[in-house]
Amino acid sequence: MRIHHLLSSRLVLAIAVAASVATPAVAKKKPVVAGPPIILSDAFRANVQAAEAALRARDAASASTQIAALSPTTDMEAYLAAGLRFQLAVLRGDVQAERVALTDLFKTTSLPRSDAPRLRYVAGYLSYRVGNYDDATAQLDYAKTLGYDGVDATMLRADIALRRNKPKEARPFVQAAIAAQKAAGKPVPISWIDRAISMAYQAGDWTEVGQLYRERLNQQESREDWRAALVNYQTGADPEPQLQLDLYRLQAANGAMASERDYQAYAQAAEKAGCYAEARTIIEAGRAAGKLTAAQAATSQLLKSVTPKATKEIAALPAQAKKAAAASSGKDALAVADSYFSLSQYPQAAEQYRAAIAKGGVDADRANARLGVALARSGDLANAQSALAQVNGSWAPVAGFWSAWVAEKSRKAG
């Protein structure tokens, strides 16, 4: 924090007046100072002048000598002396001395009421820096009673709670700070989001974890960011298999498959869902990327198992589509849509998902989520967002992550 951001305008101006050289020429052009006139002794004024010159030259030793020579006899002089001690402490990086100087400022009646709220917050921050959390909290409470309760104060309360190893107490402050930042139309710092993610993770609030990761991705969306978001969310939330499968699909769509584990987990999820051709494709992709090898028993056995099943799966699809078209329920159409989807035939999948939704008898959230993805993968980003926006329940987090992906594609397309 810069000193002139902390000291009151009256204090800065008063020091400037005190530092003016008392010559006849200057006396004819006295600075205009709002409030009561600043009356200082000649000796005090001379020492202030010398101290200010040393501070501007960043000569801490000389400034210290001049400030030590100050002998204030009035409230205004005490106010100025405390201000100079504060500046010297800032120059030296002495947080404890900064805090003591502020205490001396608060003892004077020359401190403008308008500056007290902000300076009380600063006092709280300095007490936090030196580890006096009780005083830090007391100063923040005082600042709040005086009308200062900014986002910085809210985050400082969170930091104090964390230093006291009380994450549950810290979390509401971080949430409030993020909400206030959004309400003010300001971007939320990623460091705040990361802190909130950690707290929500500890609390097992997977809905908030997903939401916060999506907000983070809207600001920073590298492959590494996507992988961290999806892997960490899945590890904590442990969604059911169909939801996991769609999150692996999203990870692959972002080019964020980075390890043997990623490819194996995706292939196994696809195989369990009956998407044999997709499982085969992902194993082959893992080998092409150098993340899987033919010598790995687990994936080699899985590839051997799904290859003939994939052939049958593809061959049976036309008959299944014909059956679905004649069915009164949307159940068969949903199964066909899932098959087309797993084969990356997204336009056909979208058509079948729409048919399944229209006929009914299916999980509308699952159908709309995958309809949205199929439309997005087909290039229809606007309608994809509309479909994803209709998703609720357990599929909402998956739809939310895919919606963030669609938003990213829309930004790049625009």
Side-chain angles (χ1 to χ4, degrees):
M1 296 185 183
R2 293 185 180 278
I3 181 64
H4 285 180
H5 290 169
L6 305 179
L7 295 180
S8 72
S9 58
R10 176 169 169 76
L11 175 54
V12 173
L13 183 54
I15 291 174
V17 172
S20 299
V21 180
T23 64
V26 173
K28 292 179 181 178
K29 297 182 179 180
K30 293 181 179 180
V32 177
V33 182
I38 299 173
I39 301 174
L40 308 172
S41 68
D42 290 341
F44 189 89
R45 185 187 301 275
N47 283 331
V48 167
Q49 177 189 6
E52 271 289 281
L55 287 169
R56 284 195 299 271
R58 303 187 65 78
D59 183 350
S62 295
S64 178
T65 299
Q66 297 300 329
I67 293 171
L70 294 173
S71 298
T73 58
T74 67
D75 186 79
M76 175 54 72
E77 288 181 349
Y79 176 59
L80 293 175
L84 288 169
R85 288 197 298 275
F86 189 96
Q87 291 191 62
L88 176 60
V90 171
L91 179 60
R92 287 176 163 172
D94 188 339
V95 177
Q96 185 68 57
E98 289 178 49
R99 180 65 187 88
V100 172
L102 275 188
T103 296
D104 292 340
L105 272 178
F106 295 143
K107 292 176 182 178
T108 71
T109 60
S110 294
L111 175 66
R113 289 185 178 180
S114 59
D115 294 323
R118 170 69 179 172
L119 288 178
R120 285 291 176 180
Y121 158 73
V122 173
Y125 170 74
L126 295 174
S127 290
Y128 161 79
R129 288 280 306 278
V130 299
N132 189 345
Y133 305 132
D134 288 340
D135 184 68
T137 301
Q139 294 299 326
L140 291 176
D141 289 343
Y142 200 165
K144 187 173 183 179
T145 64
L146 295 176
Y148 189 88
D149 193 28
V151 174
D152 48 2
T154 304
M155 284 300 291
L156 183 54
R157 290 180 186 274
D159 288 336
I160 292 170
L162 287 174
R163 289 288 184 90
R164 286 174 158 167
N165 197 28
K166 297 180 178 180
K168 290 183 179 180
E169 291 185 12
R171 188 182 176 203
F173 290 124
V174 175
Q175 291 172 322
I178 290 175
Q181 195 78 351
K182 291 179 182 178
K186 299 177 181 179
V188 179
I190 285 182
S191 62
W192 293 14
I193 297 176
D194 286 341
R195 191 175 305 181
I197 289 172
S198 176
M199 292 176 177
Y201 207 96
Q202 288 183 352
D205 189 340
W206 309 120
T207 297
E208 185 171 358
V209 168
Q211 176 188 336
L212 288 166
Y213 266 126
R214 293 192 294 273
E215 291 180 15
R216 195 184 194 285
L217 289 167
N218 284 332
Q219 292 191 44
Q220 192 168 296
E221 51 194 20
S222 69
R223 293 178 180 179
E224 293 75 17
D225 292 315
W226 271 105
R227 183 176 185 275
L230 295 172
V231 171
N232 290 341
Y233 174 77
Q234 283 202 65
T235 300
D238 190 24
E240 59 97 356
Q242 287 289 340
L243 304 179
Q244 283 189 340
L245 177 58
D246 280 25
L247 291 174
Y248 285 127
R249 287 166 168 169
L250 177 55
Q251 188 176 337
N254 278 288
M257 304 290 288
S259 69
E260 173 187 333
R261 177 191 174 282
D262 290 343
Y263 284 98
Q264 284 186 348
Y266 181 2
Q268 289 167 355
E271 188 270 339
K272 288 180 181 178
C275 301
Y276 306 115
E278 185 174 5
R280 179 181 63 185
T281 297
I282 199 62
I283 292 173
E284 291 171 347
R287 289 181 174 181
K291 303 300 180 181
L292 299 177
T293 68
Q296 290 166 324
T299 49
S300 293
Q301 292 173 3
L302 183 59
L303 180 62
K304 183 178 180 180
S305 172
V306 299
T307 297
K309 295 178 181 178
T311 302
K312 294 180 180 179
E313 175 189 8
I314 295 170
L317 193 51
Q320 290 174 348
K322 184 177 181 180
K323 178 184 175 183
S328 58
S329 167
K331 183 177 179 180
D332 290 336
L334 181 62
V336 171
D338 284 345
S339 293
Y340 278 128
F341 191 106
S342 71
L343 296 171
S344 300
Q345 297 182 27
Y346 299 115
Q348 296 93 325
E351 179 183 354
Q352 292 295 331
Y353 283 127
R354 281 175 167 150
I357 294 169
K359 289 183 177 182
V362 298
D363 183 342
D365 290 324
R366 170 178 166 175
N368 273 308
R370 287 184 170 166
L371 170 61
V373 177
L375 290 171
R377 299 304 301 268
S378 301
D380 189 351
L381 301 180
N383 284 321
Q385 284 289 38
S386 296
L388 292 169
Q390 297 180 51
V391 180
N392 296 298
S394 62
W395 280 87
V398 171
F401 277 116
W402 275 101
S403 183
W405 184 82
V406 174
E408 175 188 348
K409 296 299 179 184
S410 297
R411 286 192 295 270
K412 291 179 178 179

